[in-house]
Amino acid sequence: MKTWEKYIRRVEPYIPGEQPAGSDIIKLNTNENPYPPAPEVIRAGQELPMDRLSRYPDPEASILRKALAKHYGLSQEEIFVGVGSDDVLGMAFLTFFNSEKPILFPNITYSFYEVWAELFGIPYERPELTRDFHICTEDYKRENGGIVLANPNAPTSVFEPLLWIEEIVRANQDSVVIIDEAYIDFGGQSSRELLTRYDNLLVVQTFSKSRSLAGMRIGFGMGSRKLIKAMNDVKYSYNSYTMSQAALLMGEASVRADAYFQETTKRIMETREWLKAELRRLGFSFPDSMTNFLFITHEEIEAEKLFLWLKEQKIYVRYFRKPLLSEYLRVTIGAREDMEVFVAKVGEYMTSQKR
Ligand SMILES: *Cc1c(COP(=O)(O)O)cnc(C)c1O
């Protein structure tokens, strides 16, 4: 081994879902939105001022932060924006989790939390979820260097009531508590309303799921001025220009397009409720999702086999070959027509298994 190789930072990277090519694929594996971005967003993209691209974008990302601040009744100083919520969450880990005490997050949750903890050398502990995938608030009342919870959680789809979140934030006023709300727009109640009472709370959301903009990479954090200032100081020490001009303008247009946002999220929730009934009829069980995906299992079916068979049929869902998760499939709520094909195919598979 060469000397320089010894000094390479060793990391085990996060593994994102596959992005298969081809138009005949039904893609239900990465929780993307089946609908296109709002017409306002497409127009903003078509009208991008190309002559501006020789200039750096606004490092303060004011146009987007102002739009979000107005929309959520906060001030610009209470908003941080980043390249997807992964960027916002990574920056928050780097900024806030610097104590020798372990940070806390559940044993089943978004797997990126562990990756960042390893990357940044942050000690961590992972309290177990209950058998029906809920947190025990008592687990988050021990000494810690910070807390991060996805609410609703991934990949379980379970939403925890705001009362429980407040209980945890209240009990931990010496730590920063991050609530990752990637799926909050599909029926949950945001912790944002706790911000007026707690300056140690950071609420993180994304444009990737409910706003149909996974490809544009936009995420944001909401928190007290002190928290946001600290995150900006770290960001300006690393890369000042994280948000491209395109992301700023299209992001701003998306916040403006509220009617479209309401309509498309409502449609996804309707399809979700329809899919719940269909899958129950086929004997599947799943937590009562408040997200744009279902986390499904079946007593008589091996999840991995169904996953592989569906893939042959060009239907992609997500399978995690991991302890505790290996009997489940995570299925994104796509367009109604695609979900009808999905249900028909699953039915076909089950009939073929019985013979
Ligand atoms: C999708 C997702 C994210 C990251 O989304 P971005 O595309 O980076 O905004 C963060 N947390 C959870 C729980 C997610 O499911």
Short mmCIF file of all heavy atoms in Angstrom, two decimals, residues 39-52 249-250 256:
data_model
loop_
_atom_site.label_atom_id
_atom_site.label_comp_id
_atom_site.label_asym_id
_atom_site.label_seq_id
_atom_site.Cartn_x
_atom_site.Cartn_y
_atom_site.Cartn_z
N PRO A 39 -46.45 24.19 -13.47
CA PRO A 39 -46.25 25.00 -14.68
C PRO A 39 -45.39 26.25 -14.41
O PRO A 39 -44.56 26.62 -15.23
CB PRO A 39 -47.67 25.40 -15.08
CG PRO A 39 -48.56 24.37 -14.46
CD PRO A 39 -47.87 23.89 -13.22
N GLU A 40 -45.58 26.86 -13.24
CA GLU A 40 -44.79 28.04 -12.87
C GLU A 40 -43.30 27.72 -12.84
O GLU A 40 -42.45 28.52 -13.22
CB GLU A 40 -45.20 28.55 -11.47
CG GLU A 40 -46.55 29.24 -11.42
CD GLU A 40 -47.69 28.27 -11.09
OE1 GLU A 40 -47.62 27.08 -11.48
OE2 GLU A 40 -48.67 28.72 -10.46
N VAL A 41 -42.98 26.50 -12.37
CA VAL A 41 -41.57 26.09 -12.26
C VAL A 41 -40.99 25.85 -13.65
O VAL A 41 -39.86 26.26 -13.96
CB VAL A 41 -41.46 24.80 -11.41
CG1 VAL A 41 -40.04 24.27 -11.41
CG2 VAL A 41 -41.94 25.07 -9.98
N ILE A 42 -41.79 25.22 -14.50
CA ILE A 42 -41.32 24.94 -15.86
C ILE A 42 -41.09 26.24 -16.60
O ILE A 42 -40.08 26.42 -17.27
CB ILE A 42 -42.33 24.01 -16.59
CG1 ILE A 42 -42.26 22.63 -15.92
CG2 ILE A 42 -42.04 23.92 -18.08
CD1 ILE A 42 -43.35 21.67 -16.29
N ARG A 43 -42.01 27.20 -16.41
CA ARG A 43 -41.83 28.52 -17.04
C ARG A 43 -40.55 29.19 -16.53
O ARG A 43 -39.76 29.70 -17.31
CB ARG A 43 -43.06 29.41 -16.79
CG ARG A 43 -43.22 30.52 -17.81
CD ARG A 43 -44.58 31.23 -17.67
NE ARG A 43 -45.69 30.30 -17.52
CZ ARG A 43 -46.54 30.29 -16.47
NH1 ARG A 43 -46.40 31.17 -15.48
NH2 ARG A 43 -47.52 29.42 -16.42
N ALA A 44 -40.35 29.16 -15.23
CA ALA A 44 -39.13 29.77 -14.67
C ALA A 44 -37.88 29.12 -15.26
O ALA A 44 -36.88 29.79 -15.53
CB ALA A 44 -39.13 29.64 -13.15
N GLY A 45 -37.95 27.82 -15.52
CA GLY A 45 -36.82 27.11 -16.13
C GLY A 45 -36.60 27.56 -17.56
O GLY A 45 -35.46 27.79 -17.98
N GLN A 46 -37.72 27.70 -18.30
CA GLN A 46 -37.59 28.10 -19.71
C GLN A 46 -37.11 29.54 -19.83
O GLN A 46 -36.46 29.90 -20.81
CB GLN A 46 -38.95 27.95 -20.42
CG GLN A 46 -39.29 26.49 -20.68
CD GLN A 46 -40.77 26.28 -20.99
OE1 GLN A 46 -41.61 27.12 -20.67
NE2 GLN A 46 -41.09 25.14 -21.58
N GLU A 47 -37.43 30.35 -18.83
CA GLU A 47 -37.06 31.78 -18.90
C GLU A 47 -35.79 32.09 -18.13
O GLU A 47 -35.50 33.24 -17.83
CB GLU A 47 -38.22 32.63 -18.36
CG GLU A 47 -39.43 32.60 -19.28
CD GLU A 47 -40.67 33.23 -18.65
OE1 GLU A 47 -40.60 33.69 -17.49
OE2 GLU A 47 -41.71 33.24 -19.33
N LEU A 48 -35.03 31.06 -17.76
CA LEU A 48 -33.78 31.29 -17.01
C LEU A 48 -32.92 32.33 -17.73
O LEU A 48 -32.65 32.18 -18.92
CB LEU A 48 -32.98 29.99 -16.90
CG LEU A 48 -33.19 29.10 -15.71
CD1 LEU A 48 -32.22 27.92 -15.78
CD2 LEU A 48 -32.97 29.86 -14.41
N PRO A 49 -32.49 33.38 -17.03
CA PRO A 49 -31.68 34.40 -17.69
C PRO A 49 -30.26 33.89 -17.96
O PRO A 49 -29.40 33.92 -17.09
CB PRO A 49 -31.68 35.55 -16.67
CG PRO A 49 -32.02 34.93 -15.36
CD PRO A 49 -32.75 33.66 -15.61
N MET A 50 -30.06 33.40 -19.18
CA MET A 50 -28.79 32.76 -19.53
C MET A 50 -27.60 33.70 -19.40
O MET A 50 -26.49 33.28 -19.09
CB MET A 50 -28.86 32.21 -20.96
CG MET A 50 -29.83 31.08 -21.12
SD MET A 50 -29.35 29.65 -20.10
CE MET A 50 -30.84 28.68 -20.14
N ASP A 51 -27.85 35.01 -19.64
CA ASP A 51 -26.73 35.95 -19.55
C ASP A 51 -26.24 36.10 -18.11
O ASP A 51 -25.14 36.57 -17.87
CB ASP A 51 -27.14 37.32 -20.12
CG ASP A 51 -28.43 37.83 -19.48
OD1 ASP A 51 -29.25 36.99 -19.03
OD2 ASP A 51 -28.62 39.06 -19.42
N ARG A 52 -27.06 35.67 -17.14
CA ARG A 52 -26.66 35.75 -15.72
C ARG A 52 -25.71 34.62 -15.32
O ARG A 52 -25.10 34.65 -14.25
CB ARG A 52 -27.91 35.69 -14.81
CG ARG A 52 -28.68 36.99 -14.69
CD ARG A 52 -28.05 37.97 -13.69
NE ARG A 52 -27.82 37.37 -12.35
CZ ARG A 52 -28.71 37.33 -11.38
NH1 ARG A 52 -29.91 37.84 -11.57
NH2 ARG A 52 -28.41 36.79 -10.22
N LEU A 249 -34.24 30.19 -8.75
CA LEU A 249 -35.41 30.72 -9.45
C LEU A 249 -36.53 29.69 -9.56
O LEU A 249 -37.71 30.02 -9.37
CB LEU A 249 -35.00 31.23 -10.85
CG LEU A 249 -34.07 32.45 -10.83
CD1 LEU A 249 -33.61 32.81 -12.24
CD2 LEU A 249 -34.77 33.66 -10.18
N MET A 250 -36.18 28.46 -9.83
CA MET A 250 -37.22 27.44 -9.95
C MET A 250 -37.79 27.09 -8.57
O MET A 250 -38.99 26.81 -8.43
CB MET A 250 -36.68 26.21 -10.68
CG MET A 250 -36.42 26.53 -12.15
SD MET A 250 -35.37 25.35 -12.99
CE MET A 250 -36.55 24.10 -13.40
N ARG A 256 -44.33 29.61 -4.94
CA ARG A 256 -45.46 30.43 -5.40
C ARG A 256 -46.62 29.56 -5.90
O ARG A 256 -47.78 29.94 -5.80
CB ARG A 256 -44.97 31.30 -6.57
CG ARG A 256 -45.23 32.77 -6.40
CD ARG A 256 -44.90 33.54 -7.67
NE ARG A 256 -43.56 33.38 -8.20
CZ ARG A 256 -43.30 33.00 -9.45
NH1 ARG A 256 -44.27 32.70 -10.29
NH2 ARG A 256 -42.04 32.91 -9.86
#
